[in-house]
Amino acid sequence: MKDLENFVQIVAAHFKANLGTVLVEAYKLGSLAHGGFSDIYSDIDVGLVLGCPKPPSQMSELIAGAKGLHSDYGRKLSMFWGNPEFDWGRLPVIDRLDLLDHGVALLYGIKPSLRRPTKDEIHREQLQSIERSWKPRLPELSGLTSLEPKDRKPYIRAILYAARLIYTWDNLVVGSNDSAVEYLHQVRPAGLDLQPIDMALECRKGNCDAEDVLRLGADLNRQCESALRYVLARP
């Protein structure tokens, strides 16, 4: 983890050097901040809050440069950035929640001071994410009889998506995968098979392989339908 932490600091320094006073603060986000980071299944999430009236013209080049700072970690780097008013940039609602509750300042120790997304904004973003990110992958993932290396990460993510969706829908916060799966066992949504979700969590921890999860034969479409039915019944 020391090499990873060094990389994140180097990324923050890269944006500081190129953006100067425009950069209010850089933050660790995601599992790197709130726990449960997996070398295989996690992205390296870094957020930037910028203090300028419009997006810097060189952001695409700067992000590409950050990804080039390390041959391995750079491929996993996922950048979130924008202004406090959310007028522009890439700082979706759920990632704003993560930034507010878990963001770890990397440069100046500045706590994020942003408007907290409303319940309606959170739920609307989650429903859009189902249609944009979860459902489109299910036909391909459901047809897999074996997993190539490129398939393992999206397959495990698709299995765990229900847990993270339901946890955030009910609690209006972002938590670790551990917290989300534990919560599922408390609410036990009708029709949702918890066994593959439990095993996917163990897979992230390195206690089994993605192929072990695949062999359970989870019905991904049913999992999605059950999770969606649960959240729509809890407005």
Side-chain angles (χ1 to χ4, degrees):
M1 286 292 288
K2 184 177 180 180
D3 287 346
L4 176 56
E5 293 289 346
N6 288 340
F7 170 71
V8 172
Q9 289 291 344
I10 291 170
V11 168
H14 163 76
F15 284 100
K16 178 182 178 181
N18 285 280
L19 292 173
T21 57
V22 165
L23 179 59
V24 176
E25 182 60 281
Y27 300 90
K28 288 192 296 185
L29 301 177
S31 57
L32 195 60
H34 54 60
F37 183 84
S38 165
D39 288 333
I40 298 175
Y41 298 105
S42 293
D43 288 335
I44 298 170
D45 296 329
V46 174
L48 308 175
V49 175
L50 307 180
C52 47
K54 59 182 180 179
S57 60
Q58 73 271 39
M59 282 303 297
S60 294
E61 291 80 5
L62 292 181
I63 292 171
K67 290 178 178 289
L69 293 172
H70 193 284
S71 58
D72 182 24
Y73 293 147
R75 293 185 292 105
K76 302 175 183 179
L77 181 63
S78 184
M79 295 299 307
F80 299 90
W81 59 280
N83 64 341
E85 293 78 27
F86 317 132
D87 295 328
W88 42 257
R90 180 186 179 234
L91 196 56
V93 168
I94 305 305
D95 301 287
R96 294 176 214 163
L97 282 179
D98 191 24
L99 174 60
L100 284 167
D101 293 339
H102 304 290
V104 177
L106 293 168
L107 294 171
Y108 310 113
I110 298 175
K111 292 184 178 180
S113 178
L114 312 171
R115 178 183 64 81
R116 191 172 190 86
T118 66
K119 177 180 179 179
D120 286 345
E121 288 173 331
I122 294 168
H123 286 178
R124 183 166 56 249
E125 171 66 20
Q126 288 189 285
L127 293 175
Q128 291 173 354
S129 180
I130 291 171
E131 299 298 328
R132 181 179 64 245
S133 304
W134 195 14
K135 280 187 177 180
R137 296 301 306 269
L138 296 185
E140 175 191 355
L141 296 173
S142 296
L144 295 175
T145 56
S146 62
L147 295 177
E148 297 182 14
K150 67 178 179 62
D151 300 321
R152 292 168 186 158
K153 186 173 180 178
Y155 187 80
I156 293 301
R157 283 190 168 183
I159 293 287
L160 284 169
Y161 196 100
R164 301 188 63 84
L165 167 73
I166 289 171
Y167 180 85
T168 297
W169 185 280
D170 281 357
N171 299 288
L172 305 180
V173 296
V174 174
S176 66
N177 285 287
D178 295 77
S179 299
V181 173
E182 180 182 358
Y183 183 74
L184 274 193
H185 281 271
Q186 297 174 21
V187 297
R188 293 191 172 274
L192 191 65
D193 186 356
L194 300 188
Q195 184 182 11
I197 295 173
D198 288 342
M199 186 171 284
L201 182 61
E202 291 302 309
C203 181
R204 280 185 57 93
K205 296 177 180 179
N207 296 329
C208 64
D209 297 325
E211 287 76 6
D212 297 321
V213 183
L214 179 68
R215 281 192 284 271
L216 290 177
D219 186 333
L220 299 183
N221 289 305
R222 183 184 178 190
Q223 294 288 84
C224 179
E225 292 166 1
S226 299
L228 185 57
R229 186 164 55 247
Y230 172 90
V231 299
L232 291 179
R234 295 168 68 90

